């Protein structure tokens, strides 16, 4: 198989992941023509597990304001047999998280005791 040419093949890829013990994504989007598949997961552990299972080398993170709520979207992407697959996680971020991101203290090496 050189391309994920059918819906059955594409959803089979997801079913294989679930069969190995991964949590089922809570939302799937498959574009017409089976050229783009988006999996949305519920938490960071699920995102990491799907990302590792699919071998996603490309990772991006966006932070944006959604009507007074701050959201972070983590996206991992890979192309499998001609189909671009993205695994997405949307998290609400508190202002405390933003303050932590703006300081460099958390990047310092922990002190040895």
């Amino acid at each position: 198989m050189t391309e994920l040419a059918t819906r059955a093949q594409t959803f089979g890829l997801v079913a294989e992941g679930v069969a190995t013990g991964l949590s089922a994504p809570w939302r799937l989007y498959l574009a017409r023509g089976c050229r783009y598949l988006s999996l949305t997961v519920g938490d960071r552990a699920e995102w990491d597990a799907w990302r590792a299972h699919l071998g996603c080398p490309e990772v991006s993170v966006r932070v944006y304001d959604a009507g007074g709520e701050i959201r972070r979207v983590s996206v991992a992407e890979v192309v499998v047999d001609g189909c671009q697959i993205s695994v997405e996680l949307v998290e609400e971020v508190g202002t405390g998280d933003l303050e932590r991101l703006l300081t460099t203290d958390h990047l310092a090496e922990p002190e040895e005791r």
Side-chain angles (χ1 to χ4, degrees), residues 2 4 11 15 23 26-28 30 36 38 46 48 58-59 62 64 67-68 73 75 80 88 93 97 107 113:
T2 59
L4 293 172
F11 285 119
S23 297
W26 63 269
R27 189 186 82 176
L28 292 171
L30 177 61
Y36 179 76
S38 173
E46 291 176 14
D48 285 335
E58 300 294 325
V59 176
R62 292 185 330 255
Y64 64 93
V73 179
V75 180
V80 175
E88 299 179 8
V93 180
D97 293 327
L107 298 175
R113 295 182 183 195

Side-chain angles (χ1 to χ4, degrees), residues 14-25 45-46 48-54:
V14 175
E16 288 172 12
V18 173
T20 65
L22 297 176
S23 297
E46 291 176 14
D48 285 335
W50 274 103
R51 188 169 62 90
H53 176 74
L54 294 170

Side-chain angles (χ1 to χ4, degrees), residues 1-92:
M1 170 173 58
T2 59
E3 293 183 344
L4 293 172
T6 68
R7 296 178 75 79
Q9 291 170 325
T10 305
F11 285 119
L13 181 70
V14 175
E16 288 172 12
V18 173
T20 65
L22 297 176
S23 297
W26 63 269
R27 189 186 82 176
L28 292 171
Y29 170 78
L30 177 61
R32 176 175 277 169
C34 303
R35 296 290 181 244
Y36 179 76
L37 172 67
S38 173
L39 312 173
T40 303
V41 296
D43 64 33
R44 177 81 39 194
E46 291 176 14
W47 186 74
D48 285 335
W50 274 103
R51 188 169 62 90
H53 176 74
L54 294 170
C56 296
E58 300 294 325
V59 176
S60 64
V61 177
R62 292 185 330 255
V63 178
Y64 64 93
D65 180 6
E69 295 179 355
I70 301 167
R71 293 196 179 132
R72 175 178 48 219
V73 179
S74 302
V75 180
E77 295 180 316
V78 66
V79 176
V80 175
D81 295 332
C83 179
Q84 180 182 350
I85 300 173
S86 69
V87 182
E88 299 179 8
L89 172 64
V90 178
E91 301 169 291
E92 289 189 15

